[in-house]
Amino acid sequence: TPAVRVSPPAPLRSETPGPVLSPEPALLALYSSHFGPPGPFAAAGLLKAQQQLGLPLTRAILERSIANGARQWAYLQTAFDAARRQGLCTVEDYQLSRMRHSGQMVDRPVKSGKNLLSRAAQPLGARLGLA
């Protein structure tokens, strides 16, 4: 009798899509238009932000960072980390947190340091303590 060959079973197809392996193309396009092509580190960071924060919030943070003049990945990473720490989940939460912290410097209720320009209008003798 001839030997019966049994082929391996066909892989099962899942009804749900597999894990996302790269950031949303629109997010990559926005990043690339202002920062240049993302390297592997930045692409992985965008993907992580997209997975943890959601696409709308990630896009809002990216757009706000660009509007604020961000030019380096570290700026974006800091913004994404702050959103995670604050537990922000929606664009509305992000906008409210921005309004709540506007005008504050380094998340402190009062400014630190001296205002060097406040003394600029004083005469030189007053500035030196001679008058």
Side-chain angles (χ1 to χ4, degrees), residues 103-125:
Q104 290 185 3
M105 297 184 70
V106 195
D107 297 332
R108 286 185 227 139
V110 294
K111 293 192 298 185
S112 63
K114 296 181 180 179
N115 184 353
L116 299 176
L117 296 178
S118 68
R119 297 179 30 195
Q122 297 175 353
L124 181 59

Side-chain angles (χ1 to χ4, degrees), residues 20-87:
V20 177
L21 301 177
S22 66
E24 184 71 26
L27 199 61
L28 282 176
L30 180 62
Y31 180 91
S32 297
S33 68
H34 293 281
F35 296 93
F41 187 75
L46 284 172
L47 177 61
K48 180 180 176 183
Q50 179 183 324
Q51 291 171 338
Q52 292 180 345
L53 301 172
L55 181 60
L57 182 54
T58 302
R59 184 176 180 87
I61 293 170
L62 179 57
E63 288 171 346
R64 170 58 66 182
S65 299
I66 290 168
N68 287 343
R71 292 287 173 221
Q72 295 183 355
W73 169 251
Y75 188 103
L76 288 174
Q77 183 65 46
T78 300
F80 292 143
D81 289 345
R84 283 186 206 103
R85 274 194 317 274
Q86 294 173 17

